[in-house]
């Protein structure tokens, strides 16, 4: 295979596997190197997203939401259920089956597209006559024997990211966990601590809260969900704290210690609260969710003269080209939001560039989603960003509490907020906090890609009754305050 490849992709997460598939569709001979092994020791494709990220977390969010619905909300529909219980083992088994179905689906797609799946760790050896030589070892551990060397004129680095840990806080993924352990608790912890109130902390904290844990989230920043529109962040704060998530902002963790032995082990967290006062929190399990860091360990970037930036990311231009001609990098290992669909789009972009096409990504049109209940999703600029830019805008907001479908579903919390240019009515940002916000936001992303005005959405017929009517009403409100049902 060594001399016949057009492209080597390192990493088979959503960035790498999609890049490999698109390149193969475009006629390239592609090999994809992937080292991931699942807990059963099997080599699997799909990366963080399929194995320990998007897919398993959404499976647990769905299971835990059903449980909470049964316990808290079925009564509203006149349905009584006594003695509802959660079988955590079965819930985890369902999640694992979904993961397995998805990862074997990628293996099928690799076969179908004649992509060579090279199992092991890839490391640049050197530039050679065929382009770039990459050594493959078992797992990438220091000193491992090289099993084979592949060469190709083009390489896409799609090595993704791993959980960032805090200095002095050892993650054993049993009692102190990152995302990997937190997706696999064998029992529901009575008290759960979470460090970091970002996307992962909120989603995983919500899973275990719904199943019965008393959850406390410690967040270092003084502001909640700073990346979201401030109106949405305020609404989310109200709803999540009412649901029972205890969130402490401005909390500085000083030390974490494990107390006791065996099953009765506890975690003690010493921290300073927002006023600088010393506090203690004792929990049965702790999730450390303080962000993610790019995976470049053992990649041998030096061998081809490539350096990371000060935060460890591989610098790239708007087309994901690195400083080394022929080497591209995509997904979590480069700048931009750490989102699977962003990684996928960059994979398609690079494959099409290599085939001589001229694709483009508008990063402003990439939707962000947090899969809490209600979900939070947005695309484009927030109100605070527009204010900082000094751009004049018109807001239009409409609540789900005035939508018949939302009331029927028992999901009437939240709103859609559309920010349109004050002069041209062009949509600049759309913010949704609601059930199914992840699906609703797709309409806004399409509209923004087409540079639609708020009036464009307001004039499009939307199905009744549906949650999407709220998008239309918010658009009408932004256009000239003419929401119809308000
Ligand atoms: P990854 O998925 O990290 O894949 C990189 C792959 O490269 C891995 O399989 C790794 O084994 C392999 N690799 C690394 N180095 C080497 C090497 N030297 N040789 C061979 N192989 C190598 N995003 C969303 O958009 N929606 C969500 O709902 C969402 N939920 C998430 C929930 C959790 C708990 C987590 C942790 C993340 C979530 N994300 C979500 C983020 C999403 O998972 C990432 O943005 C996405 O996986 C990035 O894709 P990637 O291809 O860049 O990297
Ligand atoms: P995300 O990047 O969405 O995964 O979010 C990570 C969150 O963790 C952010 O809200 C950070 O402010 C927060 N965070 C980072 N470091 C710490 C820390 N040492 N203590 C508490 N929160 C932190």
């Amino acid at each position: 295979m060594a001399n016949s490849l057009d492209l080597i992709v390192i990493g088979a997460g959503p960035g790498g596997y999609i890049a490999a598939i698109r390149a193969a569709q475009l006629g390239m001979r592609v090999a994809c190197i992937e080292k991931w092994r699942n807990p059963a020791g099997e080599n699997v494709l799909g990366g963080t997203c399929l194995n320990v990220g998007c897919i398993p977390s959404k499976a647990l969010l769905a299971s835990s939401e059903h449980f909470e619905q049964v316990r808290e909300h079925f009564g509203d529909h006149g349905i009584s259920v006594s003695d509802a219980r959660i079988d955590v083992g079965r819930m985890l088994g369902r999640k694992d089956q979904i993961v397995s179905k998805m990862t074997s689906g990628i293996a099928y797609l690799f076969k179908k597209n004649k992509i060579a799946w090279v199992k092991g760790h890839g490391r640049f050896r050197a530039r050679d006559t065929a382009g770039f030589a990459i050594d493959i070892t078992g797992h990438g551990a220091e000193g491992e024997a090289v099993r084979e060397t592949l060469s190709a004129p083009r390489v896409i680095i799609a090595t993704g990211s791993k959980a960032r840990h805090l200095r002095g806080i050892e993650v054993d993924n049993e009692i102190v966990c990152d995302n990997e352990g937190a997706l696999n608790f064998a029992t529901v912890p009575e008290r759960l601590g979470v460090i970091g109130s970002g996307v992962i902390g909120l989603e995983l904290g919500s899973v275990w809260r719904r199943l019965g844990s008393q959850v406390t989230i410690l967040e270092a920043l003084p502001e909640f969900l700073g990346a979201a529109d401030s109106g949405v962040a305020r609404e989310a704060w109200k709803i999540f704290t009412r649901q029972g998530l205890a969130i402490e902002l401005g909390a500085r963790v000083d030390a974490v210690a494990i107390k006791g032995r065996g099953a009765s082990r506890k975690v003690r967290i010493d921290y300073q609260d927002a006023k600088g006062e010393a506090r203690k929190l004792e929990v049965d399990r702790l999730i450390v969710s303080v962000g993610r860091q790019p995976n470049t360990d053992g990649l041998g970037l030096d061998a081809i003269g490539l350096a990371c930036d000060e935060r460890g990311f591989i610098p790239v231009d708007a087309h994901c080209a690195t400083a080394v001609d022929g080497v591209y990098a995509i997904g979590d290992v480069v700048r931009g939001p750490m989102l699977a669909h962003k990684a996928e789009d960059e994979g398609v972009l690079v494959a099409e560039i290599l085939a001589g096409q001229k694709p483009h990504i508008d990063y402003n049109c990439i939707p962000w989603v947090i899969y809490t209940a209600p979900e939070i999703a947005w695309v484009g600029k927030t109100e605070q960003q527009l204010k900082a830019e000094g751009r004049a805008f018109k807001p239009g907001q409409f609540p789900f509490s005035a939508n018949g479908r939302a009331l029927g579903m028992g999901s009437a919390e939240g709103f859609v907020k559309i920010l349109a240019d004050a002069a041209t009515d062009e949509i600049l940002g759309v913010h949704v906090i609601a059930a199914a916000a992840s699906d609703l936001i797709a309409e806004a992303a399409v509209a923004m890609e087409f540079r639609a005005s708020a009036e464009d959405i307001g004039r499009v017929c939307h199905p009744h009754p549906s949650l999407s009517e709220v998008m239309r009403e918010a658009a009408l409100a932004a256009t000239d305050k003419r929401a119809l049902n308000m």
Side-chain angles (χ1 to χ4, degrees):
M1 189 196 322
N3 294 321
S4 61
L5 291 169
D6 298 308
L7 173 68
I8 295 173
V9 180
I10 310 179
Y17 86 73
I18 287 289
I21 290 173
R22 185 71 187 120
Q25 284 177 343
L26 290 164
M28 286 173 242
R29 288 159 300 181
V30 184
C32 184
I33 307 170
E34 172 55 67
K35 66 177 174 184
W36 199 291
R37 285 198 192 146
N38 66 16
E42 299 154 341
N43 285 89
V44 285
L45 298 166
T48 303
C49 168
L50 266 61
N51 291 288
V52 294
C54 322
I55 300 302
S57 59
K58 265 79 260 179
L60 296 189
L61 279 157
S63 299
S64 59
E65 202 172 347
H66 285 319
F67 187 60
E68 186 164 71
Q69 285 287 332
V70 170
R71 291 210 308 182
E72 308 283 335
H73 305 296
F74 270 27
D76 300 342
H77 299 263
I79 305 168
S80 52
V81 178
S82 56
D83 199 25
R85 287 168 197 229
I86 182 77
D87 178 340
V88 174
R90 194 152 169 198
M91 176 185 78
L92 297 182
R94 172 183 179 272
K95 173 215 39 150
D96 292 340
Q97 266 177 9
I98 294 167
V99 168
S100 159
K101 191 169 175 163
M102 295 292 294
T103 54
S104 46
I106 315 261
Y108 160 78
L109 292 173
F110 270 28
K111 252 196 202 136
K112 179 180 158 199
N113 287 285
K114 302 188 172 52
I115 297 162
W117 170 10
V118 182
K119 295 164 185 162
H121 175 97
R123 179 192 182 96
F124 285 98
R125 171 198 283 265
R127 291 176 110 146
D128 65 10
T129 47
F132 301 93
I134 298 176
D135 287 338
I136 323 294
T137 56
H139 248 78
E142 203 62 44
E144 254 181 317
V146 174
R147 227 181 36 224
E148 80 183 287
T149 301
L150 296 178
S151 295
R154 304 268 187 272
V155 178
I156 300 177
I157 303 171
T159 48
S161 66
K162 56 175 171 270
R164 188 164 83 80
H165 293 168
L166 291 171
R167 198 173 306 148
I169 301 181
E170 199 191 326
V171 171
D172 62 4
N173 269 327
E174 282 184 14
I175 188 153
V176 178
C177 303
D178 57 23
N179 57 301
E180 302 204 13
L183 290 164
N184 273 323
F185 292 157
T187 53
V188 179
E190 206 177 306
R191 295 161 308 166
L192 173 66
V194 179
I195 307 183
S197 69
V199 178
I200 295 171
L202 284 173
E203 290 186 8
L204 296 178
S206 297
V207 164
W208 297 104
R209 181 198 60 72
R210 292 171 193 164
L211 299 178
S213 291
Q214 187 189 318
V215 179
T216 305
I217 304 184
L218 302 177
E219 165 61 52
L221 294 177
E223 193 188 4
F224 181 59
L225 284 182
D229 183 87
S230 51
V232 168
R234 268 197 307 277
E235 186 73 4
W237 173 271
K238 262 196 303 203
I239 297 173
F240 297 161
T241 50
R242 196 169 60 223
Q243 287 172 349
L245 278 182
I247 311 170
E248 277 208 42
L249 300 177
R252 212 191 76 192
V253 175
D254 294 322
V256 169
I258 313 272
K259 302 275 163 206
R261 284 166 177 265
S264 62
R265 281 183 304 167
K266 307 273 176 248
V267 190
R268 200 180 88 181
I269 304 142
D270 288 292
Y271 67 100
Q272 287 181 36
D273 68 12
K275 292 188 192 126
E277 281 173 26
R279 303 250 168 209
K280 284 184 194 16
L281 175 69
E282 193 176 87
V283 291
D284 303 293
R285 292 256 183 15
L286 176 66
I287 302 177
V288 180
S289 51
V290 293
R292 299 186 58 81
Q293 64 188 64
N295 274 330
T296 52
D297 311 343
L299 247 185
L301 294 178
D302 293 353
I304 56 162
L306 201 53
C308 295
D309 67 17
E310 65 285 352
R311 295 170 59 222
F313 291 94
I314 298 178
V316 287
D317 67 13
H319 292 126
C320 297
T322 69
V324 175
D325 201 25
V327 178
Y328 294 78
I330 60 172
D332 280 11
V333 80
V334 303
R335 84 285 173 264
M338 286 181 157
L339 293 165
H341 43 282
K342 175 261 194 186
E344 291 184 18
D345 280 17
E346 288 181 336
V348 170
L349 175 107
V350 173
E352 292 183 349
I353 288 172
L354 295 180
Q357 299 182 6
K358 296 202 162 17
H360 170 74
I361 292 177
D362 183 347
Y363 285 88
N364 189 45
C365 292
I366 294 176
W368 297 66
V369 184
I370 308 175
Y371 291 83
T372 40
E375 295 176 353
I376 295 171
W378 71 92
V379 59
K381 300 279 170 70
T382 60
E383 189 164 327
Q384 59 271 27
Q385 280 172 324
L386 292 175
K387 281 183 181 154
E389 286 172 13
R391 184 142 185 196
F393 64 92
K394 309 171 291 173
Q397 191 165 314
F398 196 86
F400 283 87
S401 56
N403 175 265
R405 183 77 200 284
L407 289 167
M409 289 165 62
S411 302
E413 286 175 317
F415 54 78
V416 174
K417 173 174 171 181
I418 296 188
L419 307 171
D421 185 274
T424 65
D425 197 39
E426 180 180 349
I427 300 168
L428 304 175
V430 178
H431 305 272
V432 185
I433 172 162
S438 53
D439 290 314
L440 292 172
I441 204 66
E443 175 181 10
V446 172
M448 285 188 61
E449 281 282 2
F450 284 106
R451 301 199 61 177
S453 64
E455 185 176 2
D456 288 330
I457 292 190
R459 287 197 178 275
V460 172
C461 189
H462 284 64
H464 173 78
S466 74
L467 300 181
S468 71
E469 289 172 293
V470 177
M471 185 69 77
R472 183 191 204 179
E473 292 280 14
L476 289 169
T479 302
D480 52 15
K481 298 196 183 343
R482 61 185 171 91
L484 294 164
N485 286 286
M486 199 66 183

